[in-house]
């Protein structure tokens, strides 16, 4: 069917989803998301080693690891991790992206699924894995990459607007918003109105901190003190559900995206402060990056360095184009 | 600019077709929401219903592994002796082992690890316990830190050289 015959809502959706964007935006997302995942993967090494020592009876495979009946041999676990890290280094640099991007995303999916396959499903890596999988399908090394440099492409084309670079960040942002909506729905589905009365959240904060104390681990003294003031948890419970269920609003425009992302970031900082639970991806801010024109701060930085220190070696690492507003 | 127009992108004048992007998007969005659409929502990885913090907790059991010296003084056993250094992993490991009636096996594994720790040298005995607290009282008064109920699930000696 020709686009002329599409209903209005579909035309509007198409225009929104395929908003032309520069190649550099997807490239910056590649560096941010893959860079974060790579650091996370390297940071996971001590945990993976510890998990290798765990008894096979505690193995409870989830996700893609469900194809296994028993844990892998230690050498294989380390081997997959090493290949994933090597692919991640190549992917961040945008070297042989068509291979390194998907290889890294699949490696990350496998390693994080494996680490979640010991009876405890954490929820700190879901979003970054989904974002890495989306990126692997995108032309994320068409700019600011070794691939782009090797092909001798005109650096100024990195800022040419094209719909092929617009839908990926939109999909990543949509998945982010949906993840938060699901979390909000789970609260209302499992706890209902009790969640909005604050008692469920109070119970979680108190219970989580007392469990940490009883298990001999670090806890949040702030959370412990707050547990003695139940009234504080009523506005916190409301705020969390409003932010989570309101996540799709962030897709409607930059201003709403800023308001929501700051709110959600503060929510995660709050969780860190009162429960000592770190959701590193959103706390880093990178989880919200697909909502924004992330290439602009980088270009401004490059312009500033170019103006102040034209001979700086740092410029060789930054995009060669200038910021459009400059 | 029409979707299929060749454009001067860094990739060169390749045609961009929308349908593969739409298909991939629909699949990934569908997968993301799929756990919540089931009759019995399920938690997996990386697809999840994100159920953390949503369960209604009342007075519930906490499962712990603790050590004791000869005088009966209690020692906290850090999560890394139970599973790894993640407290949630340790908590879940103890819970699963108790439910599967394998508390004895867990106790002996932890005791073997404690035996190699100089920091826990005074510990001669390890216990797997279930403790019940009232979260609403735990941080409010000192009595709240005393378990309302306690169940010993397993007890074992730390295997040190020279010990019986």
């Amino acid at each position: 069917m020709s686009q002329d015959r599409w209903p209005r809502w579909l035309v509007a959706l198409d225009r929104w989803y395929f908003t032309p964007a520069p190649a550099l935006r997807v490239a910056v997302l590649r560096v941010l998301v893959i860079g974060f995942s790579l650091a996370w993967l390297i940071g996971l090494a001590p945990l993976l080693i510890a998990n290798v020592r765990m008894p096979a009876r505690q193995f409870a495979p989830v996700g893609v690891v469900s194809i296994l009946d028993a844990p892998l041999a230690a050498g294989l676990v380390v081997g997959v991790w090493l290949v994933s890290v090597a692919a991640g280094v190549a992917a961040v640099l945008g070297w042989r992206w068509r291979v390194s991007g998907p290889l890294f995303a699949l490696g990350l999916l496998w390693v994080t699924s494996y680490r979640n396959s010991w009876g405890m499903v954490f929820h700190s890596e879901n979003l970054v894995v989904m974002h890495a999988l989306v990126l692997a399908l995108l032309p994320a090394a068409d700019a600011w990459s070794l691939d782009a440099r090797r092909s001798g492409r005109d650096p100024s084309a990195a800022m040419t607007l094209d719909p092929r670079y617009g839908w990926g960040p939109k999909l990543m942002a949509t998945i982010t918003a949906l993840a938060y909506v699901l979390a909000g729905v789970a609260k209302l589905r499992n706890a209902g109105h009790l969640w909005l009365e604050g008692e469920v959240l109070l119970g979680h904060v108190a219970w989580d901190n007392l469990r940490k104390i009883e298990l001999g681990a670090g806890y949040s003294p702030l959370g412990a003190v707050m547990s003695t003031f139940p009234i504080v948890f009523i506005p916190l419970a409301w705020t969390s559900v409003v932010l989570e269920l309101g996540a799709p609003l962030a897709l409607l425009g930059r201003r709403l995206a800023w308001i929501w992302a700051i709110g959600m970031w503060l929510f995660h900082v709050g969780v860190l402060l009162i429960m000592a639970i770190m959701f590193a991806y959103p706390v880093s801010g990178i989880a919200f990056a697909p909502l924004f024109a992330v290439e602009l701060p980088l270009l401004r930085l490059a312009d500033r360095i170019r103006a102040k220190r034209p001979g700086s070696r740092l410029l060789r690492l930054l995009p060669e184009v200038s910021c459009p507003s400059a | 600019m029409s979707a299929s127009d060749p454009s001067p992108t860094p990739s060169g004048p390749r045609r961009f077709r929308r349908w593969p992007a739409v298909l991939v998007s629909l699949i990934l969005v569908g997968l993301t929401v799929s756990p919540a659409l089931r009759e019995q929502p399920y938690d997996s990885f990386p697809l999840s219903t994100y159920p953390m913090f949503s369960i209604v907790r009342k007075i519930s059991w906490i499962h712990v592994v603790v050590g004791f010296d000869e005088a009966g003084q209690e020692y906290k056993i850090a999560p890394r002796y139970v599973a790894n250094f993640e407290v949630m992993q340790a908590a879940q490991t103890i819970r699963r082992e108790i439910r599967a009636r394998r508390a004895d096996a867990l106790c002996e594994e932890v005791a073997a690890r404690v035996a190699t720790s100089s920091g826990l040298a005074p510990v001669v005995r390890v216990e797997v316990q279930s403790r019940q607290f009232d979260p609403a009282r735990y941080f409010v008064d000192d009595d709240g830190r005393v378990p309302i109920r306690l169940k010993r699930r397993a007890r074992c000696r730390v295997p040190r050289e020279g010990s019986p």
Side-chain angles (χ1 to χ4, degrees):
Chain A
M1 185 167 69
S2 143
Q3 207 170 357
D4 306 338
R5 293 185 187 174
W6 287 8
R8 272 188 184 179
W9 67 268
L10 194 56
V11 172
L13 184 65
D14 177 85
R15 197 169 294 161
W16 171 77
Y17 199 64
F18 289 103
T19 305
L24 189 57
R25 183 170 305 167
V26 186
V28 173
L29 287 174
R30 183 197 82 231
V31 172
L32 289 175
V33 174
I34 306 294
F36 177 91
S37 319
L38 184 60
W40 184 259
L41 209 52
I42 292 168
L44 272 185
L47 266 180
L48 293 176
I49 292 166
N51 287 352
V52 160
R53 293 179 192 149
M54 281 167 76
R57 68 172 190 277
Q58 286 173 10
F59 186 62
V62 294
V64 290
V65 177
S66 299
I67 59 168
L68 299 179
D69 294 326
L72 293 173
L76 208 50
V77 173
V78 174
V80 173
W81 178 83
L82 274 174
V83 169
S84 304
V85 168
V89 172
V92 164
L93 297 173
W95 185 72
R96 311 271 180 197
W97 170 254
R98 284 189 179 181
V99 175
S100 64
L103 185 62
F104 174 72
L106 292 175
L108 180 71
L109 173 66
W110 181 267
V111 173
T112 49
S113 300
Y114 196 81
R115 97 91 166 189
N116 281 283
S117 290
W118 297 91
M120 176 68 207
V121 178
F122 294 85
H123 298 95
S124 45
E125 294 141 355
N126 304 52
L127 202 50
V128 69
V129 170
M130 292 301 287
H131 282 177
L133 288 168
V134 174
L135 270 172
L137 302 169
L138 303 178
D142 279 2
W144 202 27
S145 68
L146 293 180
D147 283 356
R149 191 170 287 187
R150 196 183 49 194
S151 69
R153 288 168 193 150
D154 176 8
S156 66
M159 286 304 286
T160 304
L161 301 181
D162 192 288
R164 79 185 66 204
Y165 303 115
W167 70 274
K170 285 282 193 325
L171 176 57
M172 293 165 77
T174 303
I175 288 172
T176 304
L178 286 174
Y180 282 105
V181 169
L182 291 180
V185 167
K187 287 182 180 70
L188 296 183
R189 184 185 250 172
N190 294 336
H193 67 93
L194 287 176
W195 175 267
L196 299 173
E197 289 168 12
E199 278 189 31
V200 178
L201 180 58
L202 164 64
H204 275 284
V205 172
W207 199 82
D208 189 73
N209 280 307
L210 83 84
R211 177 169 62 179
K212 283 172 176 154
I213 293 170
E214 292 298 314
L215 284 163
Y219 72 105
S220 161
L222 178 63
V225 170
M226 280 177 66
S227 300
T228 61
F229 298 98
I231 199 160
V232 175
F233 291 91
I234 299 172
L236 290 180
W238 273 90
T239 305
S240 68
V241 166
V242 167
L243 281 169
E244 286 174 339
L245 296 181
L249 293 174
L251 303 173
L252 299 181
R254 273 290 136 76
R255 188 172 291 180
L256 281 170
W258 271 111
I259 293 169
W260 179 79
I262 291 171
M264 213 64 239
W265 182 80
L266 289 171
F267 164 86
H268 282 290
V269 170
V271 169
L272 177 62
L273 291 177
I274 67 175
M275 296 181 84
I277 296 175
M278 172 78 149
F279 286 89
Y281 192 49
V283 167
S284 74
I286 298 171
F288 312 117
L291 289 162
F292 302 103
V294 281
E295 72 282 3
L296 295 181
L298 183 75
L299 291 179
R300 284 192 202 107
L301 173 73
D303 283 350
R304 195 172 297 173
I305 295 172
R306 217 170 276 129
K308 288 188 178 172
R309 300 175 64 187
S312 171
R313 284 186 178 181
L314 193 60
L315 283 171
R316 293 171 64 184
L317 299 173
L318 294 170
E320 293 173 52
V321 276
S322 292
C323 190
S325 58
Chain B
M1 182 171 61
S2 141
S4 55
D5 278 347
S7 51
T9 64
S11 328
R14 276 188 328 218
R15 280 185 183 277
F16 170 64
R17 295 185 191 282
R18 278 171 159 79
W19 70 264
V22 170
L23 186 66
V24 163
S25 302
L26 287 175
I27 290 171
L28 286 173
V29 166
L31 283 172
T32 303
V33 298
S34 64
L37 298 179
R38 293 201 174 188
E39 216 165 287
Q40 287 292 317
Y42 72 100
D43 192 22
S44 185
F45 183 89
L47 306 174
S48 170
T49 50
Y50 301 93
M52 61 280 193
F53 316 138
S54 69
I55 302 152
V56 181
R57 291 192 189 281
K58 291 184 180 167
I59 297 174
S60 48
W61 291 97
I62 286 177
H63 311 293
V64 296
V65 180
V66 286
F68 293 92
D69 63 15
E70 290 287 7
Q73 173 75 35
E74 185 182 304
Y75 287 73
K76 301 277 187 211
I77 304 288
R80 66 176 184 279
Y81 295 99
V82 178
N84 55 35
F85 53 80
E86 281 178 311
V87 64
M88 297 290 286
Q89 182 72 63
Q92 193 71 348
T93 299
I94 303 168
R95 192 179 71 88
R96 280 165 50 91
E97 294 292 78
I98 288 172
R99 284 196 172 179
R101 301 183 182 281
R102 296 187 300 231
D104 288 327
L106 177 68
C107 187
E108 283 175 15
E109 283 163 9
V110 174
R113 290 177 201 133
V114 166
T116 63
S117 163
S118 55
L120 293 171
V123 174
V124 296
R125 179 166 52 86
V126 168
E127 282 187 14
V128 180
Q129 297 181 349
S130 298
R131 296 174 172 185
Q132 204 176 49
F133 296 96
D134 181 354
R137 287 187 57 218
Y138 191 87
F139 295 108
V140 176
D141 57 63
D142 290 341
D143 289 348
R145 296 208 174 200
V146 179
I148 301 165
R149 292 170 70 192
L150 188 147
K151 288 182 186 173
R152 286 187 182 82
R153 307 287 189 166
R155 182 185 293 194
C156 56
R157 300 284 304 175
V158 175
R160 298 192 195 281
E161 278 181 35
S163 67

